[in-house]
Amino acid sequence: MTAKKKAKGRVGSSFDAFLKSEGRYEETQAIAIKRVLASRTGEGSASGLYVFDEVDAGVSGAIAEVIGRAIADVSRSKQVVCITHLPQIAALADTHFVVGKTEQSGRTESTLRRLGDKERAAEIARMIGGVKVGAAARKAALELLSARHERRA
């Protein structure tokens, strides 16, 4: 059964069932808990920074967008760092960084680079299209980025 078929019907129970079947239930529960904690303010409130490290593993499409929206919701009141390989989630971010890895003298060296608007569109197109990025991937990237404010609402 496809994710689309499993996700139909009541959002809560169908979505929960889908996540359980995909092995992503615990991670999604963590996002839900962090959403609640992020809504608390004042003394004794939850942490000001949340790190989501590949919570989107094993999902795609509409489910990825649902997870991205939940993370975006947390980001309205807390600082969020989200490590993702999915363009649906990356396009919802306020700021986009790319991590690079190279090997120097037998050691792995990592770099972190903030992307400007044009670089961001190109990176999201690469995430969509893979090694060879075509016009369709570039167009899809621009559509994801231009619609991000609507999807974050």
Side-chain angles (χ1 to χ4, degrees):
M1 187 179 287
T2 67
K4 187 174 184 180
K5 289 180 183 175
K6 288 182 183 178
K8 282 187 178 178
R10 279 189 47 235
V11 173
S13 62
S14 297
F15 185 62
D16 287 350
F18 169 75
L19 292 170
K20 284 179 183 175
S21 72
E22 296 296 316
R24 305 305 303 165
Y25 195 68
E26 290 79 14
E27 290 85 349
T28 306
Q29 284 180 321
I31 293 171
I33 290 167
K34 289 176 182 181
R35 285 178 80 179
V36 170
L37 292 175
S39 68
R40 297 178 61 197
T41 58
E43 191 174 327
S45 67
S47 171
L49 171 68
Y50 292 121
V51 177
F52 296 98
D53 186 2
E54 298 189 34
V55 293
D56 54 12
V59 301
S60 62
I63 300 300
E65 187 173 331
V66 169
I67 291 170
R69 285 182 186 194
I71 293 169
D73 186 44
V74 172
S75 77
R76 287 187 179 98
S77 60
K78 302 295 180 184
Q79 182 72 38
V80 171
V81 175
C82 178
I83 298 136
T84 184
H85 296 281
L86 295 179
Q88 296 94 329
I89 293 176
L92 291 168
D94 293 325
T95 306
H96 193 138
F97 293 87
V98 170
V99 176
K101 293 183 181 180
T102 58
E103 189 175 319
Q104 299 284 335
S105 304
R107 292 183 50 169
T108 301
E109 186 175 296
S110 298
T111 58
L112 183 66
R113 187 170 52 90
R114 184 178 183 167
L115 301 180
D117 291 342
K118 288 182 181 180
E119 291 174 307
R120 183 176 188 187
E123 177 61 16
I124 290 177
R126 187 201 59 76
M127 294 169 83
I128 293 168
V131 175
K132 187 173 181 180
V133 177
R138 285 190 287 277
K139 182 180 177 190
L142 292 174
E143 287 176 9
L144 280 174
L145 287 167
S146 67
R148 78 176 182 262
H149 297 292
E150 296 166 18
R151 291 192 323 271
R152 285 184 62 139

